[in-house]
Amino acid sequence: MDKKIFAIFGDPVSHSRSPLMHNSVFKKLNYPASYIRVHLLDGTKLRKTFFDLKLSGANITVPHKEAAFEACDEIRGFAKKVGVVNTIVKENEKLIGYNTDADGFMFAIEEFDTPKHILILGAGGTAKALSARFLQDGIKVDILNRSEGRLNYFKNLGCECYTWGSFQEKKYDLIVNTTSAGLKDEDLPAPIEIIDTLLNTTDFVADAIYGKITPFLQLAQKKNITYKDGADMLLGQGVLANELFVSHILNTSDINQAMKESFLY
Ligand code: NDP
């Protein structure tokens, strides 16, 4: 088998652990492939860059997941529902788009009590995927975003939607930060007064950001709230993406084990 090349597209992308995770699987399970990082500034160039680099597949991270949906020839499974793609596989010179983020997140929160009412902070690609997945399980979802622009999608799904200015305090079982606040900066995902009040009533908190304890999680930690960073979500989505990359010829638990080991480096 020819050696295949896979990549992660993002901006920023230097923080991404995906190359370590996927290369760990390829190396440990003797699969002839390597996985690289591509710093992509313009999402409309994704398709051309994919073919120029002769890739067999890719993952897509912030802020290009919606552009990735547009770049594909065919969309399969959950990605169809949400219009957001985090995994692309080339099949007969066609780009097939998938979304493995939402199931990766469900895996991550398995150890939390089953939530009935969730607040999602942010209204980007990750928020779309998670809200649709939660609603599928009958969980009530509210959205709080910095700006109004992206909220229509969520209103149409049946979510209660707020901006910072219109937010009304409630009790949630779980609050999930899907904004990129805290990724490259020390920002909170909403003004401190809102976050502080929210954290006084919630039982569980999760952040999609991994590799650091964000200011949001630091506050949760101070208040003794059970929290998770994005590492388990990353692992979950990574295992599902890798299965697609290798056309399911490797065993899932072997992929999971080899990928987990990469978190120790
Ligand atoms: P998008 O660019 O699609 O959306 C970003 C969202 O964050 C928007 O709602 C935006 O609000 C909001 N936002 C950005 N900056 C700030 C800020 N300073 N304060 C408040 N809100 C802000 O991003 P994605 O949904 O693709 O990714 C979001 C985060 O989730 C990233 O940090 C990414 O790394 C992480 N992630 C982690 C995964 C994992 O496996 N652990 C998987 C997927 C994502 P507005 O609409 O006002 O611009």
Side-chain angles (χ1 to χ4, degrees):
M1 205 194 303
D2 285 344
K3 191 168 174 176
K4 293 182 175 172
I5 308 170
F6 298 92
I8 172 118
F9 288 102
D11 175 30
V13 76
S14 57
H15 68 285
S16 173
R17 294 193 65 87
S18 292
L20 276 175
M21 290 160 55
H22 288 276
N23 282 324
S24 177
V25 174
F26 297 146
K27 196 167 164 206
K28 293 200 163 82
L29 303 183
N30 289 319
Y31 188 85
S34 61
Y35 190 109
I36 60 172
R37 274 189 184 89
V38 180
H39 186 193
L40 185 76
L41 298 173
D42 179 355
T44 63
K45 306 252 162 66
L46 197 151
R47 187 180 170 92
K48 182 175 181 318
T49 313
F50 186 103
F51 283 109
D52 286 351
L53 291 171
K54 300 189 174 23
L55 300 177
S56 295
N59 289 123
I60 297 88
T61 187
V62 63
H64 299 313
K65 293 185 188 187
E66 279 145 336
F69 180 89
E70 300 301 329
C72 289
D73 297 295
E74 186 186 328
I75 306 290
R76 289 192 193 149
F78 190 70
K80 246 193 230 174
K81 198 167 185 170
V82 289
V84 178
V85 159
N86 81 322
T87 303
I88 294 178
V89 179
K90 189 172 73 174
E91 224 180 80
N92 303 322
E93 295 310 305
K94 291 211 160 126
L95 300 191
I96 316 294
Y98 300 87
N99 188 300
T100 68
D101 281 334
D103 283 336
F105 188 81
M106 297 316 275
F107 161 84
I109 61 162
E110 256 169 19
E111 65 200 63
F112 289 176
D113 294 345
T114 308
K116 292 193 183 70
H117 197 176
I118 294 180
L119 176 67
I120 296 182
L121 305 173
T126 309
K128 279 185 177 175
L130 293 189
S131 56
R133 186 62 183 77
F134 293 149
L135 290 168
Q136 190 174 287
D137 280 8
I139 301 168
K140 210 166 163 237
V141 179
D142 289 10
I143 304 286
L144 172 60
N145 196 42
R146 177 173 63 178
S147 56
E148 180 76 37
R150 306 196 208 210
L151 292 179
N152 267 346
Y153 172 91
F154 298 91
K155 285 179 189 160
N156 291 336
L157 279 184
C159 303
E160 290 277 352
C161 295
Y162 304 98
T163 58
W164 296 353
S166 67
F167 187 64
Q168 286 165 14
E169 209 182 301
K170 273 183 221 169
K171 178 177 173 1
Y172 295 99
D173 304 317
L174 167 65
I175 301 172
V176 187
N177 176 32
T178 71
T179 75
S180 30
L183 179 66
K184 290 185 283 186
D185 48 45
E186 291 305 306
D187 290 349
L188 282 168
I192 177 80
E193 311 76 58
I194 296 181
I195 297 294
D196 201 55
T197 315
L198 280 171
L199 290 180
N200 287 337
T201 57
T202 192
D203 302 321
F204 297 101
V205 155
D207 203 314
I209 295 171
Y210 60 89
K212 72 182 276 194
I213 302 292
T214 58
F216 175 62
L217 290 189
Q218 285 171 29
L219 259 187
Q221 199 176 35
K222 266 197 207 140
K223 291 177 186 280
N224 284 325
I225 299 167
T226 308
Y227 69 90
K228 280 225 145 193
D229 72 5
D232 282 352
M233 176 183 181
L234 179 74
L235 178 66
Q237 64 76 31
V239 169
L240 298 173
N242 195 278
E243 285 187 304
L244 293 166
F245 290 158
V246 303
S247 313
H248 297 271
I249 65 165
L250 300 175
N251 181 285
T252 308
S253 61
D254 291 343
I255 295 175
N256 189 46
Q257 185 55 34
M259 222 171 239
K260 232 182 196 166
E261 285 172 24
S262 76
F263 282 74
L264 304 172
Y265 309 151

